Amino acid sequence: MRPSNRTPAQSRPVTITRQFTAHAEGSVLVEFGDTKVLCTASFEEGVPRFLKGQGQGWVTAEYGMLPRSTHSRMQREAARGKQSGRTQEIQRLIGRSLRAAVDMKLLGENTIVIDCDVIQADGGTRTAAITGACVALVDALNWARGKGILKTNPLKFLIAAVSVGIYKGEPICDLEYVEDSAAETDMNVVMTETGKIIEIQGTAEGEPFSHEELMSLLELAKHGIREIVDTQKAALS
Amino acid sequence: MRPSNRTPAQSRPVTITRQFTAHAEGSVLVEFGDTKVLCTASFEEGVPRFLKGQGQGWVTAEYGMLPRSTHSRMQREAARGKQSGRTQEIQRLIGRSLRAAVDMKLLGENTIVIDCDVIQADGGTRTAAITGACVALVDALNWARGKGILKTNPLKFLIAAVSVGIYKGEPICDLEYVEDSAAETDMNVVMTETGKIIEIQGTAEGEPFSHEELMSLLELAKHGIREIVDTQKAALS
Amino acid sequence: MRPSNRTPAQSRPVTITRQFTAHAEGSVLVEFGDTKVLCTASFEEGVPRFLKGQGQGWVTAEYGMLPRSTHSRMQREAARGKQSGRTQEIQRLIGRSLRAAVDMKLLGENTIVIDCDVIQADGGTRTAAITGACVALVDALNWARGKGILKTNPLKFLIAAVSVGIYKGEPICDLEYVEDSAAETDMNVVMTETGKIIEIQGTAEGEPFSHEELMSLLELAKHGIREIVDTQKAALS
Amino acid sequence: MRPSNRTPAQSRPVTITRQFTAHAEGSVLVEFGDTKVLCTASFEEGVPRFLKGQGQGWVTAEYGMLPRSTHSRMQREAARGKQSGRTQEIQRLIGRSLRAAVDMKLLGENTIVIDCDVIQADGGTRTAAITGACVALVDALNWARGKGILKTNPLKFLIAAVSVGIYKGEPICDLEYVEDSAAETDMNVVMTETGKIIEIQGTAEGEPFSHEELMSLLELAKHGIREIVDTQKAALS
Amino acid sequence: MRPSNRTPAQSRPVTITRQFTAHAEGSVLVEFGDTKVLCTASFEEGVPRFLKGQGQGWVTAEYGMLPRSTHSRMQREAARGKQSGRTQEIQRLIGRSLRAAVDMKLLGENTIVIDCDVIQADGGTRTAAITGACVALVDALNWARGKGILKTNPLKFLIAAVSVGIYKGEPICDLEYVEDSAAETDMNVVMTETGKIIEIQGTAEGEPFSHEELMSLLELAKHGIREIVDTQKAALS
Amino acid sequence: MRPSNRTPAQSRPVTITRQFTAHAEGSVLVEFGDTKVLCTASFEEGVPRFLKGQGQGWVTAEYGMLPRSTHSRMQREAARGKQSGRTQEIQRLIGRSLRAAVDMKLLGENTIVIDCDVIQADGGTRTAAITGACVALVDALNWARGKGILKTNPLKFLIAAVSVGIYKGEPICDLEYVEDSAAETDMNVVMTETGKIIEIQGTAEGEPFSHEELMSLLELAKHGIREIVDTQKAALS
């Protein structure tokens, strides 16, 4: 039995609020249960130096947690003077995933900067971030089309993400914090709206896992992501 | 005429939402018009090293802006590896102001860490932050009293803050961004609920200002803060 | 009674030594009693990137304390790898104040970099720094006029600064260290030679202060600055 | 056809040289073809602060590339003043993988620090590093048993790693640099000597990949790792 | 002919002003011609961690240049966030040299921190710094003896330093800036008051130098240092 | 008697292995007994900004120690976020020494970056590094001549280095770690192949040394370097 009485395959309620803040071209508050992440997409002209003159765009992402988004206060990374390895790992994952969803040639020499800031954390912040950032990205691309900056839509497909894991011996979907911190295996999966894999990162926190367990986790992820994509589509329509 | 059609003495609508996030002992979303700041107060046992064994507490504050809280995206300070001078100046002001409101002996060897994170910026983020942080502080102190950690309430008085300035030659209260960036003089005032001064910081951005102008600005600030304190009290009751 | 037997309104002796070092275009040792600050003004062609091509100049300032300018040795900021919040706050104040004294259009696309380094500290280092830096600035501007780089004098007026505060319940002028560390209220005021206000920063270190106390402090500051400006003028003539 | 004429399932020759340097308790040079990584395991008494007094040990890892281990020279991270996101991601992976192989209770309050330094890079440095580090870890544990510091062997199983990917549309094993930089999908797999999964990290660099492709990649990885474990065992016997 | 009309063996006038600032236990302004360095010696109880409990003391040094001590302004190291390699090299040299002059057992578990800050630079700042720092060190040791903290004088001997070099083919003593920047060979020598060698650092900036040239340089250094030691002794008497 | 039974004048066996790694234009493993340093020379087009357009080249060097090259593990400088003073001192020495060996005009606007990474340390890492780096430099210059990038050989002469010191009262050559850490005086000497001096750095770790002792040390160094140059020449032929 899960702490929240969910069935193993059941994700938390996912809420997507667009235009959550005023300035960004895309601004989304995404909630996976009690996990709340503000995702903004900033459309900027120009590309990083290593891409200049190649006629293609770039998508990059940064991630942060507000110091008291967590149970006990975390040190502010800006005060500490550097981002943790975990932060860098997550923002690299978000950026990589979103780049897979965009046709860089159609984006032209423009950059979209994604910022994912965790307002409240209860497990699954990186998968919520990817899910919300994709919607913010869509809004920013539409903004650019509305302005006439882009002629064609560079979006190849929607992407969404969910965490799965083995908790008390059983594969479950969309782990909340108490599950996550006790899980033997933890896996984050990013898929396209048609169920193809963008990224899969599975870790044996406790015991190594078998091929069969991996298969069960993948099945749960596929199902969970399908539902989350439906929520994205509803929010965007 | 002000861009928002306000009268010179008129503050923007101030909204204070308590328990905005789940984990912090005090968590307040404060809004001064379109300026939105999340203020959390974390109650922690123990004090910094320089205070150990002196039987008194400490209040400190940190401030940050989400990268896309502003019109164009600002660099993330955590990624840049250091906090700007402006950030440090503001968080020092917030901490100093709140320390004035707390009896450190009654707080005992405990620390309250204030985090003010700007979700959306439209001028006056530091005065909004002080105003919201004071309410979060009250909540954190009440939490500690509820837990039996504190016997007596260490709060000496409520404090609130507002910006005033000279815009197109006329003294006005609670400047929004377009006013702030064009103001000749900009002043931030922090006062107690009874109108005594905690902090006054006035700067001639353009022309030096006269004693008379200073008097007008102080008058506006006093009036504006009185109203803001009323909003704090309503939110706390 | 003040530790130094001064009357409440009495500033310490102010000494201004020009051409204290050889290389800088302006180089001033300013002494407020036992507080000694070396202020240099470096005239550099060009402006920071954000001002390029706008036909105007820039004035900026940096501040530091020699490690043993204080009673007990302070850590060297260069060794520690960053400037403290206090340092940044002070150098921002110095830069802002001096910019108010210069017509940036007349300065053309040139930059004046002010360096204020505290050789010996006994309270009031920032007000001494502003006072001395203004004289170094004048010397640097005159140097540039002598070289034919500037046609007209961009100086709008002299500025000077003094600290005032409430010490043992009484308003006093130009606090030395033992007064400063025991003061209930501490205020730094920067004014033009004609008594207009450039900057006012007042802080209740202990008890909040009243409007009347603020008025007394302002009066003291105005009087103190008037005398200090006389010393500047004497040094420059 | 692969650039090196290998069959899709064929790994490069793996060489493991123990006692490559003199000082470390475990010191291994591991070669996957032209990729050469020096892996040392340092046995240190004590544990990091967050583990003190819990009667268990810790394993951690750091990773670096010599500046000219690559085709064109990379900036030295020590000179640049920070480790890249990629470096942190890799060293976190190495540490996490090796921790899965050690019974922390049996290790007692001791720490093993793994250092993986790439001498020459030709793709697959992280999988080579994990493979070599495991052998160095075994040597360090045996050293501690020889010294009587450890009574029982804390090693749970050997682990090894290999990269797999889709190159020119075909799944292949153990990608060298030219394959890696052109691969559509890249996956790193860490397994135990009995084929259970420790870590799986798959990324669609180009096109998203299907479930079937994932299955093929896993099959290749399982086979490749089995051979690499044989080489580890031979080196250790 | 030297730019200053000095003979090859002639040092610049050396001036040593003790008690130049008020707070430090030893405070010396040393001048080698136009090179002016403020050297303070701070006497602190306790030793760095690596020496604790060994019954011996420590002497360490830090060095800095005021930004406008030089012809054109140098970036402030505190603002830049790190000390240059040159700075570190020099402060290591100063510390090492002074440690050679002190009996660490007699110093007991106390630390003397030397700060050498260049007020005005005209070549030879490191040798001036060592020379002045030695006098400041003597004053700090005498202060501690006066306070009864030290029973015996830990000073083994005075030390002093001078630069020598080959300029336009001829060995000269105590190079000023224009000589230094054109010298083929540059050597800094630190000696005891009896002419024994503490440190010798010679560098061929242009052409390699011969054994005979080294001998000439050493001879000049020995002679120059003898005179400088006389100035130290006069200042101390 | 030396720990290794060497005579006072006897260097350790010196081994020079060229083409130790594949990518660098020059790649040398140099061994002085148990001290092993990997030296690479990277030939890069262009020069640092301060040299642009002057028609001359540049040689620079970086130095590092693998964390477990030493008896007990050293902290990784990249993780620590900065290079130590010792590291900077050594890499400045290496760069300066090699620049003396190259005609910068003949090098044209090209840069050679030397990387010296200590694989295993047993004293004398900086002198081994200079010796090995010189051979790597020669290889890189020959590579550039082979490619037709350089018409003439910019090498002026070979350089090599050795450490000498006073150990148990007696001058000895090429100190290994146990000798080095007990030496009263430690001196590093860099010479050309014809015995002219490039750099001499002598330090009294314990007692100051006399002119006569300096002479003995220089004699040992000259003899030791002569032999090491022979080994360089043999390796290069």
Side-chain angles (χ1 to χ4, degrees):
Chain A
M1 191 66 87
R2 303 177 69 171
S4 56
N5 288 323
R6 285 189 275 152
T7 64
Q10 195 180 350
S11 297
R12 292 173 287 182
V14 173
T15 309
I16 291 172
T17 308
R18 290 162 68 201
Q19 296 175 296
F20 188 74
T21 56
H23 300 309
E25 286 71 41
S27 173
V28 164
L29 183 76
V30 62
E31 300 171 68
F32 277 35
D34 284 339
T35 288
K36 303 181 185 192
V37 185
L38 173 51
C39 308
T40 59
S42 299
F43 193 99
E44 300 182 344
E45 287 182 39
V47 286
R49 199 177 315 178
F50 70 93
L51 279 179
K52 272 192 183 135
Q54 303 184 20
Q56 64 174 97
W58 188 241
V59 176
T60 185
E62 289 186 359
Y63 169 94
M65 300 183 85
L66 295 196
R68 198 53 199 283
S69 59
T70 45
H71 278 83
S72 57
R73 185 177 182 274
M74 291 168 49
Q75 209 186 346
R76 184 180 292 267
E77 290 188 332
R80 199 175 148 245
K82 63 175 186 174
Q83 295 179 297
S84 71
R86 177 186 173 274
T87 291
Q88 293 201 50
E89 199 172 291
I90 292 176
Q91 67 193 12
R92 283 163 59 88
L93 169 64
I94 300 171
R96 219 159 49 218
S97 297
L98 289 172
R99 278 194 292 279
V102 174
D103 182 319
M104 294 302 170
K105 288 288 174 198
L106 294 184
L107 182 53
E109 294 218 348
N110 298 296
T111 297
I112 293 179
V113 183
I114 302 292
D115 285 288
C116 297
D117 285 276
V118 179
I119 304 293
Q120 188 174 287
D122 188 28
T125 62
R126 80 188 71 185
T127 49
I130 290 168
T131 300
C134 181
V135 176
L137 172 76
V138 169
D139 278 342
L141 292 175
N142 286 338
W143 174 90
R145 288 174 70 198
K147 290 277 178 193
I149 304 172
L150 297 180
K151 299 262 158 55
T152 350
N153 193 346
L155 189 80
K156 300 202 285 191
F157 34 72
L158 291 178
I159 67 166
V162 81
S163 73
V164 287
I166 298 177
Y167 172 69
K168 300 192 175 172
E170 193 168 2
I172 59 172
C173 186
D174 188 24
L175 287 70
E176 57 192 77
Y177 179 72
V178 289
E179 294 169 337
D180 187 49
S181 53
E184 292 109 55
T185 290
D186 178 32
M187 190 158 89
N188 294 293
V189 182
V190 187
M191 283 183 175
T192 67
E193 53 186 308
T194 61
K196 292 201 123 192
I197 305 167
I198 298 281
E199 186 100 20
I200 169 172
Q201 294 199 348
T203 301
E205 304 278 353
E207 286 304 295
F209 52 103
S210 66
H211 188 84
E212 292 66 38
E213 288 170 314
L214 175 61
M215 292 304 99
S216 308
L217 291 172
L218 268 173
E219 199 51 48
L220 281 175
K222 196 176 300 182
H223 173 260
I225 287 173
R226 204 178 305 131
E227 284 185 357
I228 293 169
V229 168
D230 287 345
T231 308
Q232 287 176 319
K233 287 181 174 166
L236 282 165
S237 69
Chain B
M1 190 66 86
R2 304 178 68 173
S4 57
N5 289 322
R6 286 189 274 152
T7 65
Q10 195 180 349
S11 297
R12 292 172 288 181
V14 173
T15 308
I16 292 173
T17 308
R18 290 162 67 203
Q19 296 175 297
F20 187 75
T21 56
H23 301 309
E25 286 71 41
S27 173
V28 164
L29 182 77
V30 62
E31 301 170 68
F32 276 34
D34 284 338
T35 289
K36 303 181 185 194
V37 185
L38 173 52
C39 308
T40 59
S42 300
F43 193 99
E44 300 183 346
E45 287 183 39
V47 285
R49 200 178 312 177
F50 70 92
L51 280 179
K52 273 195 182 132
Q54 301 184 23
Q56 65 175 96
W58 189 241
V59 175
T60 185
E62 288 184 0
Y63 169 94
M65 300 184 85
L66 294 196
R68 197 55 200 279
S69 59
T70 44
H71 277 82
S72 57
R73 186 177 181 271
M74 293 168 48
Q75 209 187 347
R76 185 179 292 267
E77 290 188 330
R80 199 173 148 247
K82 63 177 185 172
Q83 296 179 296
S84 71
R86 176 185 174 275
T87 291
Q88 292 200 51
E89 200 172 291
I90 293 177
Q91 66 192 12
R92 282 163 60 88
L93 168 64
I94 300 171
R96 220 160 49 219
S97 297
L98 289 172
R99 279 195 290 279
V102 174
D103 183 319
M104 293 301 170
K105 287 288 175 199
L106 295 184
L107 182 53
E109 296 217 346
N110 299 296
T111 298
I112 293 180
V113 184
I114 301 292
D115 286 288
C116 298
D117 285 276
V118 179
I119 304 291
Q120 190 174 286
D122 188 28
T125 63
R126 78 188 74 185
T127 50
I130 290 168
T131 299
C134 181
V135 176
L137 173 76
V138 170
D139 278 341
L141 293 175
N142 286 338
W143 174 90
R145 289 174 70 200
K147 289 275 176 193
I149 302 172
L150 297 180
K151 300 264 158 52
T152 349
N153 192 346
L155 189 80
K156 300 201 285 192
F157 34 71
L158 291 177
I159 68 167
V162 81
S163 73
V164 287
I166 298 176
Y167 171 71
K168 300 190 174 172
E170 192 168 2
I172 59 171
C173 186
D174 188 24
L175 287 69
E176 56 194 78
Y177 179 72
V178 289
E179 294 169 338
D180 188 48
S181 52
E184 294 107 56
T185 290
D186 177 33
M187 188 158 89
N188 294 291
V189 182
V190 187
M191 283 182 174
T192 69
E193 54 185 306
T194 61
K196 293 201 122 192
I197 304 166
I198 299 280
E199 186 100 20
I200 168 174
Q201 293 200 347
T203 300
E205 303 278 352
E207 286 304 295
F209 52 104
S210 66
H211 188 83
E212 293 64 39
E213 287 170 315
L214 175 60
M215 292 305 100
S216 309
L217 292 173
L218 269 173
E219 201 50 49
L220 281 176
K222 196 177 300 180
H223 173 262
I225 288 173
R226 204 180 304 131
E227 283 185 357
I228 293 169
V229 169
D230 287 345
T231 308
Q232 287 178 317
K233 286 181 174 165
L236 281 166
S237 69
Chain C
M1 191 64 88
R2 303 179 69 173
S4 57
N5 288 324
R6 284 189 276 154
T7 65
Q10 195 180 350
S11 297
R12 292 172 288 181
V14 173
T15 309
I16 291 172
T17 309
R18 289 163 68 204
Q19 296 176 296
F20 187 74
T21 56
H23 301 309
E25 286 71 41
S27 172
V28 164
L29 183 76
V30 62
E31 300 171 66
F32 277 34
D34 285 338
T35 288
K36 303 182 185 192
V37 185
L38 173 52
C39 309
T40 59
S42 300
F43 193 99
E44 300 183 346
E45 287 182 40
V47 285
R49 200 177 314 177
F50 71 93
L51 280 179
K52 268 188 187 141
Q54 302 183 23
Q56 65 174 96
W58 189 241
V59 176
T60 185
E62 289 186 359
Y63 169 94
M65 299 184 85
L66 295 196
R68 198 54 199 282
S69 59
T70 45
H71 278 83
S72 58
R73 185 177 182 275
M74 292 168 48
Q75 208 187 346
R76 184 180 291 267
E77 290 188 330
R80 198 174 150 247
K82 63 176 187 175
Q83 294 178 298
S84 71
R86 176 185 174 277
T87 292
Q88 293 201 50
E89 200 173 291
I90 293 176
Q91 66 194 13
R92 282 163 59 87
L93 168 65
I94 299 171
R96 220 160 48 220
S97 299
L98 290 172
R99 278 193 291 279
V102 174
D103 183 319
M104 293 303 168
K105 288 288 172 198
L106 294 184
L107 181 53
E109 296 218 347
N110 298 297
T111 297
I112 294 180
V113 184
I114 301 292
D115 286 287
C116 298
D117 285 276
V118 178
I119 303 293
Q120 189 174 286
D122 188 28
T125 62
R126 79 189 73 184
T127 49
I130 290 167
T131 300
C134 180
V135 176
L137 173 76
V138 169
D139 278 341
L141 293 175
N142 286 338
W143 174 91
R145 290 173 70 199
K147 289 277 177 193
I149 303 172
L150 297 180
K151 301 261 158 56
T152 350
N153 192 346
L155 189 81
K156 301 201 285 192
F157 33 73
L158 291 177
I159 67 167
V162 81
S163 73
V164 288
I166 299 176
Y167 171 70
K168 300 191 174 172
E170 192 167 4
I172 60 172
C173 186
D174 188 23
L175 288 70
E176 55 192 77
Y177 178 72
V178 290
E179 295 169 337
D180 187 49
S181 53
E184 294 108 56
T185 289
D186 178 31
M187 190 158 89
N188 293 293
V189 183
V190 186
M191 284 182 173
T192 68
E193 54 186 308
T194 62
K196 292 202 124 191
I197 305 167
I198 299 280
E199 185 101 18
I200 167 173
Q201 295 199 347
T203 300
E205 305 276 353
E207 286 304 294
F209 52 103
S210 66
H211 188 84
E212 292 65 39
E213 287 170 316
L214 175 60
M215 292 305 100
S216 309
L217 291 173
L218 268 173
E219 201 50 49
L220 282 175
K222 196 176 301 183
H223 173 260
I225 287 172
R226 204 178 306 130
E227 284 185 356
I228 293 168
V229 169
D230 287 345
T231 310
Q232 287 177 319
K233 287 181 173 164
L236 282 165
S237 69
Chain D
M1 191 67 87
R2 305 178 68 173
S4 57
N5 288 323
R6 285 189 275 153
T7 65
Q10 195 180 349
S11 297
R12 291 173 286 182
V14 173
T15 308
I16 292 173
T17 309
R18 290 161 67 201
Q19 296 175 297
F20 187 73
T21 56
H23 301 309
E25 287 72 39
S27 173
V28 164
L29 181 78
V30 61
E31 301 170 67
F32 277 34
D34 284 338
T35 288
K36 304 183 185 192
V37 186
L38 173 52
C39 308
T40 58
S42 299
F43 193 100
E44 299 182 347
E45 287 183 39
V47 285
R49 201 179 311 178
F50 71 93
L51 280 179
K52 269 190 186 137
Q54 302 184 23
Q56 65 175 96
W58 188 241
V59 176
T60 185
E62 288 185 0
Y63 169 94
M65 299 184 86
L66 295 195
R68 198 53 200 281
S69 59
T70 44
H71 278 82
S72 58
R73 187 177 181 273
M74 292 167 49
Q75 208 187 347
R76 184 179 291 267
E77 290 188 331
R80 196 173 151 247
K82 64 175 184 172
Q83 295 179 297
S84 71
R86 176 185 175 276
T87 292
Q88 292 200 52
E89 201 172 289
I90 293 177
Q91 65 192 13
R92 282 163 58 88
L93 168 65
I94 300 172
R96 220 160 48 221
S97 297
L98 289 172
R99 279 194 290 280
V102 174
D103 182 318
M104 293 301 170
K105 287 289 172 197
L106 294 184
L107 182 53
E109 295 216 348
N110 298 298
T111 298
I112 293 180
V113 184
I114 301 293
D115 286 288
C116 297
D117 285 276
V118 178
I119 303 293
Q120 188 174 287
D122 188 28
T125 63
R126 80 188 73 186
T127 49
I130 291 168
T131 300
C134 180
V135 175
L137 172 76
V138 169
D139 278 342
L141 292 175
N142 285 339
W143 174 91
R145 290 173 70 199
K147 289 278 177 191
I149 302 171
L150 297 179
K151 299 264 158 54
T152 349
N153 192 346
L155 189 81
K156 300 202 285 192
F157 35 71
L158 292 178
I159 66 166
V162 82
S163 73
V164 288
I166 298 175
Y167 172 70
K168 300 191 175 172
E170 193 168 3
I172 59 171
C173 186
D174 189 24
L175 288 69
E176 55 194 80
Y177 179 71
V178 288
E179 294 169 337
D180 188 48
S181 52
E184 293 108 57
T185 290
D186 177 31
M187 190 158 88
N188 293 291
V189 182
V190 187
M191 284 182 173
T192 67
E193 54 185 306
T194 61
K196 291 201 122 192
I197 305 167
I198 298 280
E199 186 100 19
I200 168 173
Q201 292 199 348
T203 300
E205 304 278 354
E207 286 303 295
F209 52 104
S210 66
H211 189 84
E212 292 65 38
E213 288 170 315
L214 175 61
M215 291 306 99
S216 308
L217 292 173
L218 269 173
E219 200 51 47
L220 282 176
K222 195 176 299 182
H223 173 261
I225 288 173
R226 204 179 304 130
E227 283 185 356
I228 294 168
V229 169
D230 287 346
T231 309
Q232 287 177 317
K233 286 182 174 165
L236 282 165
S237 69
Chain E
M1 191 65 87
R2 303 179 68 172
S4 56
N5 288 324
R6 285 189 275 152
T7 65
Q10 195 180 350
S11 296
R12 292 173 286 181
V14 173
T15 310
I16 291 173
T17 309
R18 289 162 67 202
Q19 297 176 297
F20 187 74
T21 56
H23 302 309
E25 286 72 41
S27 173
V28 164
L29 182 77
V30 62
E31 301 170 67
F32 276 35
D34 285 337
T35 288
K36 303 182 185 193
V37 186
L38 173 52
C39 309
T40 59
S42 300
F43 193 100
E44 299 182 346
E45 287 183 40
V47 285
R49 199 179 312 179
F50 71 91
L51 279 179
K52 269 192 185 137
Q54 301 183 24
Q56 65 175 95
W58 188 240
V59 175
T60 184
E62 289 185 359
Y63 169 94
M65 299 184 85
L66 295 196
R68 198 56 200 281
S69 59
T70 44
H71 277 82
S72 58
R73 187 177 181 270
M74 291 168 49
Q75 208 187 347
R76 185 179 291 267
E77 290 187 331
R80 197 172 150 248
K82 62 176 187 174
Q83 296 179 296
S84 70
R86 176 185 174 276
T87 292
Q88 293 200 52
E89 199 171 292
I90 292 177
Q91 66 193 12
R92 283 163 59 87
L93 168 66
I94 299 171
R96 217 160 50 219
S97 296
L98 289 173
R99 279 194 291 280
V102 174
D103 183 317
M104 293 300 169
K105 288 289 174 199
L106 295 183
L107 181 54
E109 295 217 347
N110 298 297
T111 297
I112 293 180
V113 183
I114 301 293
D115 285 288
C116 297
D117 285 276
V118 178
I119 304 292
Q120 189 174 286
D122 187 29
T125 63
R126 79 189 74 187
T127 49
I130 290 168
T131 300
C134 180
V135 176
L137 172 77
V138 169
D139 278 341
L141 293 175
N142 285 339
W143 174 90
R145 289 173 71 198
K147 290 277 178 191
I149 302 171
L150 296 180
K151 299 265 157 53
T152 350
N153 192 346
L155 190 80
K156 300 201 286 192
F157 35 71
L158 292 176
I159 67 167
V162 81
S163 74
V164 288
I166 298 176
Y167 171 71
K168 300 190 175 173
E170 191 169 3
I172 60 172
C173 186
D174 188 23
L175 288 68
E176 56 193 78
Y177 179 73
V178 289
E179 294 169 337
D180 187 47
S181 52
E184 294 108 56
T185 290
D186 177 32
M187 189 158 88
N188 293 291
V189 182
V190 187
M191 282 182 174
T192 67
E193 55 186 306
T194 61
K196 292 202 122 191
I197 305 168
I198 299 280
E199 186 98 22
I200 168 174
Q201 294 198 346
T203 300
E205 305 277 354
E207 286 304 295
F209 52 104
S210 67
H211 188 84
E212 292 65 38
E213 287 170 315
L214 174 61
M215 292 305 100
S216 309
L217 291 173
L218 269 173
E219 200 51 48
L220 282 176
K222 196 176 300 182
H223 173 262
I225 288 173
R226 204 178 304 130
E227 283 184 356
I228 293 169
V229 169
D230 287 345
T231 309
Q232 288 177 318
K233 286 181 175 166
L236 282 165
S237 70
Chain F
M1 191 66 86
R2 303 178 68 172
S4 56
N5 287 323
R6 285 189 276 152
T7 64
Q10 194 180 352
S11 297
R12 292 172 287 181
V14 173
T15 309
I16 291 173
T17 309
R18 290 162 68 202
Q19 296 175 297
F20 188 73
T21 56
H23 301 308
E25 286 71 42
S27 173
V28 164
L29 182 77
V30 62
E31 300 171 68
F32 277 34
D34 285 338
T35 289
K36 302 181 185 192
V37 185
L38 174 52
C39 308
T40 59
S42 299
F43 193 100
E44 300 182 347
E45 287 182 38
V47 286
R49 200 177 315 176
F50 71 92
L51 279 179
K52 272 194 183 133
Q54 302 182 22
Q56 66 175 96
W58 188 242
V59 175
T60 185
E62 288 185 0
Y63 169 94
M65 299 184 85
L66 295 196
R68 198 55 200 281
S69 60
T70 44
H71 277 83
S72 57
R73 187 178 181 272
M74 292 168 49
Q75 209 187 345
R76 184 179 292 267
E77 291 188 331
R80 199 174 149 246
K82 62 176 186 173
Q83 295 179 297
S84 71
R86 177 186 173 275
T87 292
Q88 293 200 51
E89 200 172 291
I90 293 176
Q91 67 193 13
R92 283 163 59 87
L93 168 65
I94 299 171
R96 219 159 51 218
S97 297
L98 289 173
R99 278 194 291 280
V102 174
D103 182 319
M104 293 302 170
K105 288 287 174 200
L106 293 184
L107 182 53
E109 294 217 348
N110 299 297
T111 297
I112 293 179
V113 184
I114 301 292
D115 286 287
C116 298
D117 285 275
V118 178
I119 304 292
Q120 188 175 286
D122 187 29
T125 62
R126 78 188 74 184
T127 49
I130 291 168
T131 300
C134 180
V135 176
L137 172 76
V138 169
D139 279 340
L141 293 176
N142 285 339
W143 174 90
R145 290 173 71 199
K147 289 277 177 191
I149 303 172
L150 298 180
K151 300 263 159 54
T152 349
N153 193 347
L155 189 81
K156 302 201 284 192
F157 34 71
L158 292 178
I159 67 166
V162 81
S163 73
V164 288
I166 298 176
Y167 171 71
K168 300 190 175 174
E170 191 168 4
I172 60 172
C173 186
D174 187 23
L175 287 70
E176 56 193 76
Y177 178 72
V178 290
E179 293 169 338
D180 187 48
S181 53
E184 292 109 56
T185 290
D186 178 32
M187 190 159 89
N188 293 292
V189 182
V190 187
M191 283 182 174
T192 68
E193 54 185 307
T194 61
K196 293 202 123 191
I197 304 168
I198 299 280
E199 185 98 20
I200 168 173
Q201 293 199 346
T203 301
E205 304 277 353
E207 286 303 295
F209 53 103
S210 66
H211 189 84
E212 292 66 37
E213 287 170 315
L214 175 60
M215 292 304 101
S216 308
L217 291 173
L218 269 173
E219 200 51 49
L220 281 176
K222 195 176 301 183
H223 173 261
I225 287 172
R226 204 179 306 131
E227 283 185 357
I228 293 169
V229 169
D230 287 345
T231 309
Q232 288 177 318
K233 287 180 174 166
L236 282 165
S237 68

